[in-house]
Amino acid sequence: MRGKFHSGNYHYLAMLIPGIALLAMFSIVPMFGVVMAFQNFNPGKGMWHSPYVGFENFSYMFHNAASWQAIRNTLIISVSKIIAGLIVPVVFALFLNEVKNMFFKRFVQTIVYLPHFLSWVIVAGIIKDILASNGLVNVLLMKLGVQDPILFLGSNFWFRPIVVGTDVWKEFGFSAIVYLAALTNINPSLYEAADIDGATRMQKIRYISLPGIQTTVILLATLSLQSVLNAGFDQIFNLYNPVVEPTGDIIDTYVYRVGFEQVNYEMGTAVGLFKSVISLLLIVTAYKLASKFAGYRIF
């Protein structure tokens, strides 16, 4: 067995080299930069000669109102996305599973699946055009009697619902595929027995379909806990502006603004490291919960 591995399987290992190189270049090597979180970083002196300040940057972060604002916005937006991103795909999959016309069923599934492949740069441009002061939505509202156009992306009231709603619209078709696959594994004889007993469609959904995908729902719900601190940098960065920073500024955009726009590298690194540590704990927690409640294990 050992000889067979040495003689014929090296080309499989060689195929891993590009992926390992990219992983090392963009994920492992940059980890050495976390030392800046404990320094008063001076670009002229470099990372290895800047003065060490211990946890001073973290102390400043925890006493800075802007940091807590970003953390609060991240939690509100990400939790809203997780809840809506679980409910909408489940409901959609349950109702689409009841469609008997296979052509229509596959057509609808394909249409709602396509937005997943669009970049947020493209989607954000479309959303900005639709929600602009002279965009489609405001034109329709003014025809219905609204006097002044609504600045949706310039409103702290509307920004979060728009972020959550557009994220669900873009991703629910992709998520629904998982639930549709789970629905196909339900024993058809259960539905036949329900038909004999005179059960309605809603009763079959409630007592057969939902319990049949319960494990999958629990699994995806627990695994989604690891993304509590990821509210979607690509989406929000392409949609937000300084006016909606009180409700739209998240940890990732805060790190970008502090680190690159304000050239405060040590502070940006401290916030990013804080997020990474909490995210690691959430990933471990999600994995433990998935193993306990859904029997999901990797190791």
Side-chain angles (χ1 to χ4, degrees):
M1 188 70 181
R2 186 174 300 175
K4 181 179 180 181
F5 173 80
H6 284 291
S7 62
N9 291 347
Y10 277 120
H11 58 285
Y12 294 115
L13 296 177
M15 293 173 64
L16 297 175
I17 293 176
I20 294 175
L22 289 173
L23 180 67
M25 185 181 302
F26 294 105
S27 299
I28 298 177
V29 173
M31 289 181 65
F32 291 101
V34 300
V35 70
M36 289 191 294
F38 305 95
Q39 294 178 329
N40 182 12
F41 181 71
N42 186 328
K45 294 182 179 180
M47 187 170 62
W48 304 116
H49 299 286
S50 295
Y52 177 78
V53 296
F55 291 92
E56 183 178 312
N57 293 318
F58 293 94
S59 177
Y60 176 78
M61 177 186 72
F62 289 122
H63 289 86
N64 186 5
S67 300
W68 286 110
Q69 175 181 276
I71 294 172
R72 182 174 63 254
N73 291 336
T74 301
L75 291 174
I76 293 173
I77 293 174
S78 61
V79 171
S80 300
K81 284 184 175 181
I82 290 172
I83 295 173
L86 284 171
I87 295 175
V88 174
V90 169
V91 173
F92 174 78
L94 289 172
F95 283 101
L96 187 62
N97 188 59
E98 295 298 314
V99 176
K100 302 304 180 183
N101 188 317
M102 293 303 298
F103 174 80
F104 178 77
K105 183 176 180 179
R106 291 172 181 172
F107 174 77
V108 171
Q109 185 176 342
T110 302
I111 292 299
V112 300
Y113 178 64
L114 290 178
H116 169 76
F117 297 99
L118 295 178
S119 165
W120 270 115
V121 177
I122 298 173
V123 176
I126 296 172
I127 294 169
K128 286 180 178 180
D129 288 338
I130 294 175
L131 299 179
S133 58
N134 59 347
L136 176 62
V137 174
N138 273 307
V139 169
L140 292 175
L141 288 175
M142 284 188 284
K143 288 184 180 295
L144 294 173
V146 178
Q147 297 296 324
D148 299 319
I150 301 174
L151 300 177
F152 289 99
L153 295 178
S155 168
N156 284 295
F157 176 80
W158 287 107
F159 187 76
R160 285 176 183 165
I162 290 171
V163 168
V164 175
T166 53
D167 180 78
V168 172
W169 168 80
K170 185 176 182 294
E171 301 296 340
F172 85 94
F174 181 81
S175 302
I177 292 176
V178 179
Y179 299 114
L180 286 169
L183 286 167
T184 60
N185 290 326
I186 298 176
N187 192 341
S189 63
L190 296 176
Y191 292 103
E192 295 172 359
D195 288 330
I196 295 173
D197 292 336
T200 63
R201 285 195 174 189
M202 291 304 299
Q203 288 174 328
K204 287 187 287 186
I205 290 175
R206 179 179 178 183
Y207 296 107
I208 299 176
S209 299
L210 270 177
I213 63 173
Q214 181 179 352
T215 302
T216 304
V217 174
I218 293 174
L219 172 61
L220 295 182
T222 52
L223 291 179
S224 65
L225 292 177
Q226 59 189 293
S227 61
V228 166
L229 293 184
N230 291 317
F233 173 78
D234 292 345
Q235 178 192 17
I236 294 179
F237 182 76
N238 285 285
L239 287 176
Y240 93 135
N241 55 75
V243 177
V244 294
E245 278 186 7
T247 57
D249 192 30
I250 61 173
I251 293 176
D252 291 331
T253 55
Y254 177 71
V255 169
Y256 176 85
R257 189 175 67 257
V258 171
F260 292 98
E261 295 182 359
Q262 300 178 10
V263 200
N264 191 348
Y265 298 115
E266 62 271 29
M267 186 61 186
T269 306
V271 178
L273 180 59
F274 167 77
K275 177 195 169 184
S276 298
V277 172
I278 299 301
S279 296
L280 176 61
L281 295 176
L282 290 172
I283 290 172
V284 174
T285 302
Y287 175 72
K288 294 293 185 181
L289 291 174
S291 175
K292 180 177 180 180
F293 293 107
Y296 174 82
R297 296 188 63 87
I298 300 176
F299 306 106

